Amino acid sequence: MRIFEMKSEMHRHVRTPAKYFRSRLLFLILWLLTAVSCQEVENPVPVWRVYLNLDLAFEDKELKAVPAYKTYTIKDVNLAQGESIGYGGVLVVHNMFGEYKAFDLSCPYETSQDVLVEVDDEVLYAVCPVCGTKYDVGTGNGAPNGKSRHSLRIYNVIQNGNKLVVTN
C-alpha cells in the first residue's frame, strides 16, 4: 500500500503537456484582462468640431495680457465664417508661461452643455460650479482635482503674429 501512495503522490507533481498549456493559457488570459482594464477611458465630452479665428490686435486683445483668459460660446462666434465652438464652448488661456492653451468649457464629470467651468481670478484653475472639480488651466494640461477622472478636452492653438487659430 505504501508503494501505491508514493506513486500517486508522484503523479500529482508531474506536469503533463495539457496542464502546462492550460496554466500558460490562464496566465495569458489574466494578463490580457489586466492590460485592457488599465487603459484610459475616453474623455466623456463629445468630440465636436472646433474652429476659431482670433485676432489679438482687435476683438481678442485682452488675451495678450499674462495671465489672461476668454470664453467663447455660441453667441460669441460667427457661424457664417465657419467658426464653431466644440461641445460646450471654448476657453482660451494665455498662461503664466506665455503659452496659449484652449479647452472645452464643458465639465467632463457632468458632461452637459449647460454646465460650464468658470476660471478663477488667478487664471490657474477652471472650476465646475456643479461638481466642484478644479481643472489646472494655468499649466495648460487641464488636469482634474476633484470628482472627475478626466482632464478638460484640450484643443490645438496655432499662433501666427497677432492671430490665433483654435482647432481640434
Side-chain angles (χ1 to χ4, degrees):
M1 186 86 153
R2 181 83 174 127
I3 295 174
F4 179 74
E5 287 175 15
M6 285 176 49
K7 280 186 178 179
S8 64
E9 193 171 312
M10 284 176 36
H11 283 286
R12 274 189 262 155
H13 297 296
V14 173
R15 244 190 184 168
T16 64
K19 284 183 180 179
Y20 180 78
F21 177 75
R22 274 188 259 143
S23 69
R24 292 294 178 187
L25 183 62
L26 180 61
F27 173 77
L28 180 63
I29 290 171
L30 290 174
W31 182 82
L32 285 173
L33 287 174
T34 303
V36 169
S37 68
C38 291
Q39 290 179 351
E40 183 65 28
V41 177
E42 174 83 20
N43 190 311
V45 173
V47 178
W48 284 19
R49 183 175 182 271
V50 173
Y51 180 79
L52 286 175
N53 202 353
L54 308 179
D55 187 349
L56 299 175
F58 297 105
E59 301 101 28
D60 307 297
K61 63 184 171 200
E62 61 268 26
L63 282 171
K64 287 188 108 173
V66 176
Y69 76 93
K70 189 171 179 182
T71 60
Y72 300 87
T73 58
I74 193 69
K75 64 182 182 302
D76 302 312
V77 298
N78 188 342
L79 297 175
Q81 291 182 351
E83 292 188 321
S84 51
I85 48 111
Y87 184 66
V90 175
L91 164 64
V92 178
V93 174
H94 192 189
N95 68 19
M96 59 190 152
F97 305 113
E99 304 166 320
Y100 288 98
K101 301 291 183 173
F103 308 91
D104 199 285
L105 280 168
S106 288
C107 172
Y109 185 78
E110 299 297 329
T111 316
S112 169
Q113 290 177 297
D114 298 327
V115 179
L116 307 179
V117 295
E118 300 165 353
V119 180
D120 68 356
D121 293 335
E122 292 83 33
V123 192
L124 294 174
Y125 297 100
V127 182
C128 175
V130 176
C131 74
T133 301
K134 291 170 68 173
Y135 298 94
D136 180 355
V137 295
T139 59
N141 64 10
N145 182 3
K147 290 182 178 180
S148 181
R149 295 181 312 133
H150 301 281
S151 297
L152 291 174
R153 185 169 290 286
I154 299 173
Y155 298 125
N156 302 313
V157 179
I158 301 165
Q159 182 177 6
N160 186 5
N162 279 330
K163 302 286 184 185
L164 291 181
V165 176
V166 180
T167 62
N168 56 349

